Amino acid sequence: GGGGCGGGGCAGGGGGVPTIVDSATVRVVGVSTLKSDVMNLAKGTASAAALVGTFAPSAYSAVWDTGGISFIRRRGNVPYMHEAAVSQALWQQLQQQIGELEARLAAIADLSDYPSCSAFCCGGPSLDAFKAVAALVKATRDVHVAAVNVQLAAFGVQLCFGGGNS
């Protein structure tokens, strides 16, 4: 998935899929490199640094900006952040939780080999193992995001996941 979180933050990235960008309704909490830094490696070969460093937090900003040439650039306040529904403290708490989750997901992702080209084409045990680990990573992430969204519902925002790691 990706993009249309509608009033929330997104953790995304990984390549191949257009990245999620900040807008008036979407704030990027951080970017994950789990796929490229851990899942695309042979089983058990991710470094200790990679296992704890796959999440890069984004700076807190209650202002959105389209960028580009100044006369066509648009700026404005992000309503739910400007009204302090998502404070800097909550933003940092979310980032800490996601960072801890990413470390757990990286440990899970390091349990399988990245399949060879022939495995992708023809299937087999290595592809089945990779798919099972990927499904476990996704399920673990989805449960965490759902739990966070129960807490965020009171603020009228939600956390979504998207980008190339989906």
Side-chain angles (χ1 to χ4, degrees):
C5 299
C10 295
V17 174
T19 58
I20 299 165
V21 295
D22 285 331
S23 71
T25 59
V26 174
R27 304 311 303 170
V28 176
V29 176
V31 176
S32 172
T33 58
L34 180 65
K35 183 179 176 194
S36 61
D37 290 356
V38 179
M39 289 200 76
N40 289 356
L41 302 176
K43 178 180 179 178
T45 60
S47 69
L51 290 174
V52 298
T54 61
F55 180 70
S58 299
Y60 178 89
S61 175
V63 176
W64 65 274
D65 185 340
T66 60
I69 303 168
S70 62
F71 66 88
I72 59 171
R73 173 182 264 167
R74 294 180 42 213
R75 299 182 93 140
N77 292 326
V78 177
Y80 58 88
M81 293 176 91
H82 189 67
E83 296 162 5
V86 177
S87 65
Q88 190 160 3
L90 178 57
W91 184 264
Q92 289 171 341
Q93 178 185 345
L94 288 171
Q95 289 177 324
Q96 181 179 352
Q97 290 175 353
I98 293 168
E100 292 168 1
L101 172 66
E102 278 278 314
R104 290 193 307 273
L105 297 179
I108 294 168
D110 202 32
L111 295 174
S112 74
D113 283 316
Y114 189 73
S116 65
C117 289
S118 62
F120 273 117
C121 295
C122 304
S126 67
L127 181 60
D128 293 342
F130 181 79
K131 285 182 175 180
V133 167
L136 181 57
V137 166
K138 181 183 183 316
T140 303
R141 182 193 67 222
D142 290 350
V143 165
H144 176 81
V145 168
V148 168
N149 281 332
V150 168
Q151 297 170 339
L152 292 178
F155 302 109
V157 298
Q158 67 177 349
L159 179 70
C160 298
F161 185 88
N165 283 335
S166 296

